[in-house]
């Protein structure tokens, strides 16, 4: 794959990965609608009737492919994770589809630049993270590939290209009906461009079009024919006001949301695009862009009315803006290719630096647009409503929500109870809703008709069996009171419950319309069948077929599994920045914090599982034997430790926690083996680590500078929460005069964890800098930023670890490039002085003045925990409490009040949980690591050895790499990367010991 194409995919992951990991879609408009529909297929694949909304509606009203794929994934990873995974896959693949589309009109170089720009297209970010339009983006991916395949067929006339074009058109139809509007426009542009480029005769073009267009149209109808059948029986509803239909010249909010947020800085390319389009070879692309651009302006021009007639008022036009933005990338790519030789000619300016200066703001604007454009109410705890509705006397009634926004769809996922409202307006059938002119009852307050539109709806609520109302905004209270509703109580989440005492019970069972077997089977099978066959055709087109098909298939499978392993490893450092989790089981002991008494599955566990599965798949297909990683003493020691941890569940004081911890420890052990067995994965871990370092360091510096983490609120993270120095229990540095300073948390639960994570992450830029052949001085910037953030965490254990890491690098200085090592030392020293000098009082308190109450309390509590750990070891010297059971056992057995947390020493903690044997295994593992550190020779090996030793030293004063699953995953990632690099010790870097 071309270097710039790899860059485009990496940039797309860098832009969208954190937003997906942070579950930004929870604040989007439509994400929960698609999760609701996916939940329907998860619960009843062959059911076409959904009774929970609108008194029942047909799911044949929306093409099912995306929802069905999410439903299949949800059976393995859960609904929200499945949605996020599919969204990330689509977003990562879009730059490649943009490249394939651009190749129709541009040369290879220009097309790769278009793909790189596409990774930061604000319209994609807004559609994904603010609008929640996964089907639209998936259909865009398919339609761009359709155009590329059509172009190849028109040029070469190969049967496989014709079949692939037809199949891709069917995938588009099965994914999103609105995207079908782009098919004729884009298809015509492809055909006309072929003629304009003098590649084909008119007759030949028409013949080939006749061979492909009817078949594509037929498959598009056939694959979701129940949708078209449903559509023929519908009547037009009263149009619902939408900002994208407004005149953007007169409506500032519409202009901000549907023009500036969608185009961002690329809007500056519009005049350039029109100028480039004047040239003959780009005129067709220019016309396509002009049409899409004008349609994207909505009611600003009369073009939508002319093309769509009365139906124009039911369409939304942000999709045309998205498509126009993608087409605009063609001209951006052409401009970039034209600029490259000019920029290279400027003295002292490199094309890479210039490109980075362009891409960084574009990516930043995309992320900010994706965050800013979402306009949902604050996230609500749905559990009180779910419990309220689950009571037996209430299960026969319907309910309504008021002021929840699109979260009402999330409530529908969590409860089987039915509502008169819904969030897919096209499918509703109730007359009072169809004639209301509002999208949802829930959001009437924000709609153009306002609360007055609720009167005819609430007048019929009695006969619809609507008895309960959940009110989240006080503006609805007067309307409900006017219609005789009564306030009854306020739930724990602040939502008011109102009662409609005049409601009549709806029928106990509502019969769904009869559906024949052919319809059911078609809807349940055809979309996935078309996707599967089209995927096989795409594989055959890319890799050929014939006598060597099996070998090629095996080679392809090995490559795919390998790339998936590398991708998961590269994403793992980013996943470790966001401790998003799902609670599987909790003991309910309020004395113990959630992370120490619950079975939690973290986002990083999912990434690790994908990496492990991909590595296993690669080895299985390749027929590999035992991994070479098993042959060294360290691997055997860790395997025995994992077996002992698993056995400890049998005698554990809390068996469920021990079993969970043992399983997660086994997962990270296999992750370690996969990294040690595949040294190439270390490069991807370094790239992901570099991005994670920049992310955590930037956030940490901002937190300390602002003395607050409130700016992270839009990300809706569990940790660190909204913190400032006055929050009870927050980690601060308190001066002798009582002044309190918030320590940097990053996006993690505690500053000490941030310090250890930064210590590990700094290996990425250091290794890249020390072994780079070129002068990549820019890598010193993340080193400087990481140093500042590490100091601002005020983690003494991390500082000691950093000192140990520095000592390791000095001991191996002969194996490193001396000039670069001096540069690193200078950067670290200057960065440290910049922080330490102005805040010397804070550092003095942390290091010297330990009599300050907060410092004295911290030292006292650590001493108490050490004594309690010794008591537990004496209580069970051979067996221990069982892995993961230290804190619950401590609380149960301790006669005096002690902090409900593990002892701050991994060796003591492992001995307390696994007995003396476990402690000896930990010591043996440390000795094996130090033995390999001594012989490290390559620059990367030395840096990784330093990082490993630094984290190990920090573990003498903290516990997270043993007690917390993400901590175990973090250390496994670092240790596996180190183990994959250090065996290369026999081959020194060529430049070792030499000056630049």
């Amino acid at each position: 794959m071309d270097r710039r194409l790899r860059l485009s995919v990496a940039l797309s992951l860098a832009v969208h990965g954190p937003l997906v990991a942070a579950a930004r879609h929870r604040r989007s408009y439509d994400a929960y609608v698609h999760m609701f529909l996916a939940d329907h297929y998860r619960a009843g694949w062959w059911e076409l009737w959904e009774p929970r909304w609108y008194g029942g509606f047909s799911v044949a009203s929306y093409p099912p492919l995306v929802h069905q794929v999410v439903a299949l994934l949800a059976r393995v990873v859960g609904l929200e994770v499945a949605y996020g995974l599919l969204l990330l896959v689509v977003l990562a693949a879009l730059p490649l589809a943009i490249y394939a589309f651009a190749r129709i009109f541009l040369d290879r170089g220009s097309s790769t630049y278009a793909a790189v720009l596409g990774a930061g297209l604000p319209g994609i970010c807004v559609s994904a993270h603010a609008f929640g339009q996964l089907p639209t983006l998936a259909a865009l991916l398919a339609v761009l590939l359709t155009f590329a395949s059509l172009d190849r067929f028109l040029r070469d006339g190969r049967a496989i290209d014709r079949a692939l074009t037809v199949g891709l058109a069917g995938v588009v139809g099965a994914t999103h009906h609105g995207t079908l509007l782009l098919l004729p426009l884009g298809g015509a542009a492809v055909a006309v461009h072929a003629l304009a480029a003098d590649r084909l005769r008119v007759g030949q073009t028409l013949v080939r079009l006749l061979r492909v267009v009817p078949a594509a149209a037929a498959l598009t109808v056939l694959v979701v024919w129940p949708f078209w059948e449903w559509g023929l029986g519908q009547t037009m509803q009263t149009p619902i006001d939408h900002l994208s239909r407004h005149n953007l010249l007169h409506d500032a909010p519409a202009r901000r949301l549907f023009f500036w947020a969608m185009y961002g800085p690329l809007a500056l390319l519009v005049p350039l695009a029109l100028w480039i389009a004047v040239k003959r070879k780009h005129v067709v692309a220019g016309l396509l862009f002009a049409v899409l651009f004008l349609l994207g302006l909505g009611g600003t021009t009369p073009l939508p009315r002319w093309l769509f007639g009365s139906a124009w008022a039911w369409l939304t036009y942000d999709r045309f803006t998205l498509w126009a933005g993608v087409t605009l990338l063609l001209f951006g790519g052409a401009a970039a290719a034209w600029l490259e030789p000019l920029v290279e000619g400027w003295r002292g300016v490199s094309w890479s630096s210039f490109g980075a200066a362009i891409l960084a703001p574009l990516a930043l604007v995309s992320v900010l647009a994706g965050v800013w454009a979402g306009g949902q109410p604050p996230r609500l705890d749905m559990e009180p409503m779910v419990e309220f509705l689950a009571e037996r006397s209430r299960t026969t009634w319907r309910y309504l929500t008021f002021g929840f926004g699109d979260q009402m769809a999330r409530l529908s996922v969590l409860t089987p109870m039915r509502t008169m409202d819904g969030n897919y307006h096209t499918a509703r059938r109730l007359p009072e809703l169809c004639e209301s002119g509002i999208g949802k009852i829930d959001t009437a307050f924000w709609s153009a008709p306002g609360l007055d539109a609720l009167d005819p709806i609430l007048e019929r609520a009695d006969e619809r069996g609507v008895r309960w109302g959940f009110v989240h905004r006080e503006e609805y209270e007067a309307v409900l009171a006017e219609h005789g509703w009564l306030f009854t109580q306020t739930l724990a989440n602040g939502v008011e419950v109102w009662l409609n005492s005049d409601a009549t019970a709806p029928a106990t069972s509502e019969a769904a319309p009869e559906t024949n077997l052919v319809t059911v089977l078609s809807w349940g099978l055809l979309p996935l069948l078309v996707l599967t066959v089209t995927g096989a055709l795409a594989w055959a087109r890319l890799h050929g077929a014939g006598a060597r098909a099996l070998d090629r298939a095996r080679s392809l499978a090995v490559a795919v599994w390998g790339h998936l392993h590398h991708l998961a490893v590269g994403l793992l450092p980013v996943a470790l920045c966001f401790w998003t989790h799902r609670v599987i089981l909790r003991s309910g002991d309020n004395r113990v914090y959630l992370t120490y008494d619950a079975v939690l599955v973290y986002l990083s566990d999912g990434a690790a599982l994908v990496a492990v599965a991909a590595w296993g798949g690669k080895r299985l297909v390749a027929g590999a034997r035992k991994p070479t990683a098993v042959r060294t003493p360290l691997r055997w020691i860790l395997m025995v430790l994992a077996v002992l941890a698993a056995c400890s569940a049998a005698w554990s004081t809390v068996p469920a926690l021990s079993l969970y911890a043992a399983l997660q420890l086994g997962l990270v052990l296999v992750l370690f083996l996969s990294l040690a067995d595949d040294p190439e994965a270390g490069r991807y871990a370094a790239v992901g680590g570099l991005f994670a370092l920049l992310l955590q360091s930037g956030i940490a510096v901002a937190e300390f500078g602002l003395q607050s983490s409130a700016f992270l609120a839009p990300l809706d993270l569990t940790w660190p929460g909204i913190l400032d120095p006055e929050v009870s229990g927050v980690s601060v540095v308190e001066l002798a005069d009582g002044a309190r300073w918030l320590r940097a948390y990053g996006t993690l639960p505690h500053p000490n964890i941030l310090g250890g994570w930064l210590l590990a992450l700094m290996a990425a830029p250091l290794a890249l800098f020390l072994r780079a052949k070129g002068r990549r001085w820019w890598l010193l910037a993340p080193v400087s930023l990481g140093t500042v953030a590490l100091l601002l965490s005020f983690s003494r254990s991390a500082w000691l670890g950093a000192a140990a890491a520095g000592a390791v690098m000095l001991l191996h200085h002969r194996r490193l490039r001396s000039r670069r090592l001096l540069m690193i030392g200078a950067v670290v020293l200057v960065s440290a002085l910049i922080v330490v000098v102005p805040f010397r009082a804070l550092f003095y308190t942390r290091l010297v003045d330990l009599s300050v109450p907060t410092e004295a309390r911290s030292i006292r509590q650590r001493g108490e925990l050490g004594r309690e750990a010794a008591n537990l070891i004496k209580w069970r010297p051979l067996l221990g409490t069982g892995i993961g059971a230290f804190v619950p056992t401590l609380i149960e057995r301790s006669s005096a009040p002690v902090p409900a947390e593990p002892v701050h020493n991994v060796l003591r903690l492992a001995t307390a949980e696994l007995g003396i044997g476990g402690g000896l295994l930990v010591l043996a593992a440390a000795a094996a690591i130090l033995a390999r550190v001594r012989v490290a020779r390559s620059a990367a090996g030395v840096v990784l050895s330093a990082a490993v030793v630094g984290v190990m030293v920090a573990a003498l004063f903290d516990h997270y790499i043993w007690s917390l699953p993400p901590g175990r995953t973090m250390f496994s990632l670092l240790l596996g990367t180190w183990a994959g690099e250090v065996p290369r010790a026999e081959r020194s870097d060529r430049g070792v010991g030499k000056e630049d």
Side-chain angles (χ1 to χ4, degrees):
M1 185 185 293
D2 183 273
R3 176 174 57 87
R4 283 194 289 264
L5 287 181
R6 292 198 299 270
L7 172 63
S8 68
V9 175
L11 182 60
S12 182
L13 290 171
V15 170
H16 300 289
L19 293 175
V20 173
R24 178 62 200 177
H25 54 265
R26 292 175 176 171
R27 302 294 302 275
S28 68
Y29 289 99
D30 292 340
Y32 280 120
V33 179
H34 301 302
M35 281 187 254
F36 172 82
L37 292 171
D39 181 67
H40 167 88
Y41 292 108
R42 182 176 62 170
W45 188 273
W46 306 106
E47 296 292 335
L48 268 65
W49 187 252
E50 173 52 68
R52 287 176 287 179
W53 284 358
Y54 306 128
F57 72 97
S58 172
V59 295
S61 56
Y62 201 113
L65 183 56
V66 166
H67 306 137
Q68 290 176 343
V69 172
V70 173
L72 290 175
L73 291 174
R75 294 180 181 274
V76 180
V77 298
L79 194 61
E80 283 208 44
V81 175
Y83 179 93
L85 283 175
L86 185 58
L87 177 62
L88 190 60
V89 169
V90 169
L91 293 171
L94 269 173
L96 302 180
I98 291 170
Y99 167 79
F101 175 63
R103 285 290 288 129
I104 301 171
F105 304 94
L106 305 174
D107 58 65
R108 183 182 298 274
S110 301
S111 299
T112 57
Y113 284 125
V116 171
L117 289 172
L121 182 64
I124 291 177
C125 208
V126 171
S127 298
H129 308 296
F131 296 164
Q133 295 174 345
L134 174 56
T136 298
L137 294 171
L140 174 61
L141 173 68
V143 82
L144 294 177
L145 296 176
T146 303
F147 295 148
S149 181
L150 174 62
D151 178 67
R152 287 194 297 268
F153 175 66
L154 293 180
R155 285 190 285 111
D156 303 326
R158 296 178 59 183
I160 192 168
D161 288 325
R162 178 192 176 212
L164 183 58
T165 303
V166 172
L168 285 168
V171 171
V172 174
T175 303
H176 190 251
H177 48 292
T179 307
L180 293 176
L181 294 170
L182 182 58
L183 268 178
L185 294 173
V190 171
V192 173
H193 176 74
L195 291 171
D198 294 329
R199 291 187 301 200
L200 298 169
R201 296 187 302 272
V202 175
Q204 188 181 46
T205 302
L206 292 176
V207 169
R208 289 179 178 173
L209 285 172
L210 288 174
R211 290 176 61 194
V212 71
V213 171
L219 183 61
T220 301
V221 173
L222 176 64
V223 69
V224 286
W225 68 264
F227 166 79
W228 301 107
E229 182 183 53
W230 169 87
L232 291 175
Q234 301 305 301
T235 57
M236 191 67 69
Q237 301 182 31
T238 300
I240 302 168
D241 182 70
H242 196 271
L243 284 179
S244 69
R245 297 190 208 106
H246 291 197
N247 188 326
L248 303 190
L249 297 177
H250 299 155
D251 192 324
R255 184 167 60 250
R256 286 194 298 268
L257 185 58
F258 293 108
F259 187 88
W260 294 116
M262 295 292 284
Y263 288 110
L266 292 179
L268 300 175
L269 290 177
V270 173
L272 178 64
L274 298 177
W275 178 76
I276 294 176
V278 174
K279 296 184 177 182
R280 181 171 178 264
K281 65 176 182 178
H282 295 304
V283 67
V284 178
L287 287 174
L288 177 62
F289 167 72
V291 171
L292 294 174
F293 179 80
L294 291 174
L295 287 173
L297 296 177
T300 311
T301 74
L303 184 61
R305 292 182 179 86
W306 294 346
L307 287 180
F308 306 119
S310 60
W312 93 276
W314 192 247
L315 293 173
T316 55
Y317 293 90
D318 52 286
R319 70 194 64 180
F320 292 99
T321 307
L322 172 64
W323 301 336
V326 171
T327 310
L328 183 60
L329 296 173
L330 305 182
F331 303 98
W338 176 74
L339 279 173
E340 181 177 3
L342 298 180
V343 172
E344 290 287 0
W346 296 348
R347 180 174 300 177
V349 178
S350 70
W351 176 242
S352 299
S353 301
F354 183 83
I358 298 298
L359 287 175
L362 178 61
L364 179 61
V365 169
S366 295
V367 172
L368 292 177
V371 172
W372 167 80
Q376 292 297 302
R379 184 172 168 82
L380 273 172
D381 178 12
M382 297 294 174
E383 196 60 30
M385 282 90 74
V386 174
E387 294 176 356
F388 180 91
L389 292 170
E391 293 189 19
R392 186 170 183 180
S393 61
R394 297 164 181 158
T395 56
T396 58
W397 301 92
R398 291 198 179 104
Y399 69 93
L400 285 173
T401 61
F402 301 91
F404 283 35
D406 289 81
Q407 292 181 87
M408 61 85 57
R410 178 167 169 256
L411 177 59
S412 296
V413 171
L414 298 174
T415 177
M417 300 302 102
R418 305 175 183 187
T419 177
M420 184 180 169
D421 204 3
N423 206 15
Y424 178 44
H425 326 315
T426 305
R428 56 190 184 182
R429 305 173 306 128
L430 301 176
E432 61 269 31
L433 297 180
C434 295
E435 298 166 4
S436 65
I438 59 175
K440 295 192 295 292
I441 299 172
D442 180 278
T443 56
F445 171 71
W446 293 284
S447 67
L451 295 176
D452 291 340
L454 293 181
D455 289 332
I457 297 172
L458 293 177
E459 286 174 2
R460 302 194 63 180
D462 300 349
E463 62 186 89
R464 301 293 186 192
V466 180
R467 187 172 182 83
W468 305 107
F470 299 105
V471 181
H472 188 45
R473 289 192 67 97
E474 61 183 9
E475 291 86 352
Y476 292 90
E477 296 173 2
V479 179
L480 293 175
E482 288 177 9
H483 288 270
W485 291 55
L486 303 173
F487 168 76
T488 61
Q489 62 177 294
T490 300
L491 300 177
N493 57 0
V495 172
E496 295 181 354
V497 180
W498 286 63
L499 169 68
N500 179 19
S501 58
D502 295 329
T504 57
T508 55
S509 62
E510 297 175 343
E514 291 186 6
T515 305
N516 61 61
L517 183 61
V518 175
T519 303
V520 171
L521 292 177
S522 298
W523 195 254
L525 296 177
L526 285 181
L528 287 175
L529 178 62
V530 169
L531 177 64
T532 303
V533 173
T534 303
L537 289 171
W539 174 85
R541 176 64 177 82
L542 289 173
H543 301 281
R548 298 187 303 274
L550 185 59
D551 290 338
R552 296 172 74 91
R554 176 178 293 177
S555 299
L556 174 63
V558 170
V560 169
W561 284 120
H563 288 317
L564 181 59
H565 177 235
H566 293 162
L567 176 62
V569 168
L571 290 175
L572 191 51
V574 180
L576 284 165
C577 292
F578 301 95
W579 288 30
T580 305
H581 64 274
R582 172 175 290 186
V583 179
I584 305 301
L585 177 68
R586 187 173 186 184
S587 68
D589 190 341
N590 294 328
R591 297 173 297 173
V592 182
Y593 189 56
L594 173 73
T595 52
Y596 303 126
D597 86 324
V599 175
L600 305 177
V601 178
Y602 292 84
L603 177 66
S604 55
D605 293 332
L609 185 61
V610 171
V612 165
W615 175 68
K618 175 185 174 182
R619 295 185 63 81
L620 181 64
V621 173
R625 297 182 180 179
K626 293 189 301 181
T628 56
V630 178
R631 300 173 189 170
T632 61
L634 175 62
R635 282 63 166 188
W636 284 112
I637 293 169
L638 295 178
M639 291 176 69
V640 173
L641 184 64
V643 171
L644 177 61
C647 293
S648 74
W651 58 76
S652 171
T653 56
V654 190
L657 288 182
S658 294
L659 180 60
Y660 155 66
L663 289 173
Q664 205 274 338
L665 183 63
L667 172 65
V668 299
L669 171 62
V670 181
L671 174 66
F672 161 78
L673 293 175
S674 76
L675 292 164
D677 192 52
D678 184 7
E680 188 68 18
R683 293 174 51 195
Y684 295 83
V687 174
L690 183 60
F691 180 79
L693 175 64
L694 292 171
L695 176 70
Q696 286 293 350
S697 300
I699 292 175
V701 172
E703 285 173 340
F704 184 79
L706 298 171
Q707 283 295 288
S708 171
S709 62
F711 66 94
L712 295 175
L715 296 180
D716 199 23
L717 300 176
T718 304
W719 291 295
I722 308 302
L723 303 179
D724 61 60
E726 305 307 319
V727 173
S728 176
V730 71
S731 291
V732 298
V733 180
E734 184 174 349
L735 300 179
D737 61 2
R740 293 164 60 91
W741 286 78
L742 179 69
R743 296 167 61 186
Y745 277 71
T747 59
L748 302 177
H750 196 276
N752 289 350
I753 301 176
L754 172 67
W757 186 213
L758 291 173
L759 181 59
L761 290 174
M762 285 182 67
L766 289 174
L768 292 172
F769 179 68
L770 285 171
R771 74 179 180 184
K773 294 181 179 179
R775 291 175 174 160
R776 300 182 180 177
W777 306 113
W778 63 270
L779 286 167
L780 293 174
V783 173
S784 174
L785 187 61
T787 301
V788 171
L790 180 61
L791 290 168
L792 294 179
S793 72
F794 291 95
S795 171
R796 289 177 293 226
S797 61
W799 292 348
L800 286 171
V808 171
M809 293 183 66
L810 288 176
L811 289 173
H812 288 79
H813 71 277
R814 294 182 182 277
R815 307 190 187 283
L816 304 174
R817 293 172 173 171
S818 56
R819 181 181 298 178
R820 296 200 175 194
L821 189 59
L822 288 173
M823 287 287 296
I824 291 171
V827 167
V828 170
L829 179 60
V830 171
S831 302
L833 289 174
I834 291 174
V835 178
V836 172
V837 171
F839 299 106
R840 55 189 176 276
L842 300 180
F843 290 93
Y844 178 80
T845 298
R846 285 294 281 172
L847 295 174
V848 180
D849 189 6
L850 303 181
S851 62
V852 173
T854 53
E855 304 301 327
R857 183 171 61 252
S858 174
I859 294 172
R860 184 182 68 254
Q861 289 177 347
R862 289 181 179 230
E864 292 172 355
L865 287 169
R867 288 189 291 272
E868 292 296 335
N871 292 334
L872 288 179
I873 293 172
K874 292 178 182 177
W875 174 54
R876 278 190 171 185
L878 298 179
L879 298 180
T881 65
I883 187 170
F886 178 92
V887 176
T889 308
L890 173 67
I891 296 301
E892 289 296 328
R893 290 188 54 81
S894 178
S895 57
V898 291
E901 57 185 88
V903 61
H904 288 242
N905 180 286
V906 166
L907 179 59
R908 285 188 180 184
L909 181 58
T911 305
E913 292 188 345
L914 296 181
I916 294 174
L920 292 175
L921 285 171
V922 170
L923 281 175
I929 291 171
L930 293 176
R932 296 301 298 170
V933 165
R934 183 176 55 83
V935 299
R937 294 184 181 179
S938 68
V942 170
V943 171
L944 288 167
S945 296
V948 169
V949 170
V951 173
M952 288 169 57
V953 169
L956 295 175
F957 306 94
D958 226 314
H959 58 79
Y960 48 85
I961 68 169
W962 178 271
S963 60
L964 299 174
R968 293 192 288 263
T969 305
M970 178 270 286
F971 189 60
S972 175
L973 176 65
L974 175 62
L975 194 64
T977 306
W978 166 82
E981 180 66 32
V982 170
R984 302 190 202 179
E986 302 302 324
R987 302 191 307 272
S988 302
D989 286 358
R990 292 185 178 180
V992 169
K994 297 180 181 179
E995 298 290 342
D996 290 329

